[in-house]
Amino acid sequence: LRSSRKADDARRLVTRAREVLHRGRSKHVISATSLLRQALERDRFSATAYAVLGEAMVRKYLLWDGDPTFLEEARENADKALTLDSDCALAHTALGFANHLSGHLDDAQREYRLAMQCDQKEWFAHRLLGSIYAREGNFKSATGLFQRAIGIKPTHIASYDHLHNVLVRL
């Protein structure tokens, strides 16, 4: 019972951390990272905590001078999550995101597709894969992915911006 309560606390912290993380500023990455470390103190076997920590490290890379060690740390956390749960969609998304930003687009696309197979409601994988398609000029496929991301998480404004951009291009 006690460990079950700790696991529940960890899940709540991870959910909150991901909400904070997607606000997108440096202070949000710091706050989310702190919440994730608290979650891992409560449940060191939380695949989702490691996965979201992986995403946080990618965002840290984006916000802090592009230090490649952050991408390595992102991959390590995503790998830990996948070791604990090979079907952890968030881990596949985080790994894809790290590969995406380091220029390994084929690996990124594979991870985003795996994330969507594990959880069809993993909206961020849809948006990120859509951004790769858009950059490659595959606007029709990108449009469908952005629309799906919006359908899953209509409160995330950036997906609308991405959709608008591909619709203008079409």
Side-chain angles (χ1 to χ4, degrees):
L1 181 68
R2 188 173 172 90
S3 65
S4 171
R5 186 175 302 144
K6 282 187 171 188
D8 288 345
D9 288 348
R11 275 191 289 281
R12 279 191 287 279
L13 286 165
V14 171
T15 298
R16 178 81 184 118
R18 196 164 192 230
E19 290 168 2
V20 169
L21 185 62
H22 282 259
R23 292 182 188 161
R25 293 209 164 122
S26 296
K27 66 181 182 180
H28 299 124
V29 172
I30 293 166
S31 177
T33 301
S34 174
L35 290 168
L36 293 163
R37 297 213 190 283
Q38 290 174 45
L40 287 167
E41 285 172 15
R42 286 172 176 75
D43 181 4
R44 63 188 178 106
F45 299 108
S46 173
T48 56
Y50 283 113
V52 178
L53 189 56
E55 181 185 339
M57 292 303 106
V58 176
R59 290 181 181 277
K60 201 170 180 180
Y61 167 84
L62 285 169
L63 294 167
W64 279 284
D65 300 328
D67 183 341
T69 60
F70 294 135
L71 292 181
E72 274 312 306
E73 196 173 337
R75 285 186 186 94
E76 288 169 12
N77 282 297
D79 287 341
K80 280 182 194 173
L82 290 169
T83 297
L84 293 166
D85 177 3
S86 62
D87 291 330
C88 181
L90 297 177
H92 286 294
T93 300
L95 194 52
F97 201 12
N99 287 328
H100 189 156
L101 293 183
S102 58
H104 299 103
L105 297 184
D106 290 339
D107 293 334
Q109 289 181 57
R110 183 187 69 247
E111 292 299 331
Y112 295 149
R113 286 188 194 101
L114 286 168
M116 291 183 283
Q117 284 174 7
C118 293
D119 181 359
Q120 293 180 354
K121 294 191 184 277
E122 212 316 75
W123 71 275
F124 197 44
H126 286 81
R127 189 172 81 63
L128 291 169
L129 183 57
S131 69
I132 290 176
Y133 285 167
R135 182 163 286 178
E136 292 174 345
N138 185 349
F139 302 121
K140 280 197 184 299
S141 293
T143 298
L145 286 163
F146 293 142
Q147 288 171 331
R148 179 85 173 115
I150 290 167
I152 297 166
K153 189 167 179 89
T155 58
H156 196 266
I157 302 303
S159 299
Y160 293 92
D161 291 340
H162 289 286
L163 177 61
H164 175 266
N165 291 336
V166 296
L167 291 175
V168 166
R169 298 298 298 267
L170 279 172

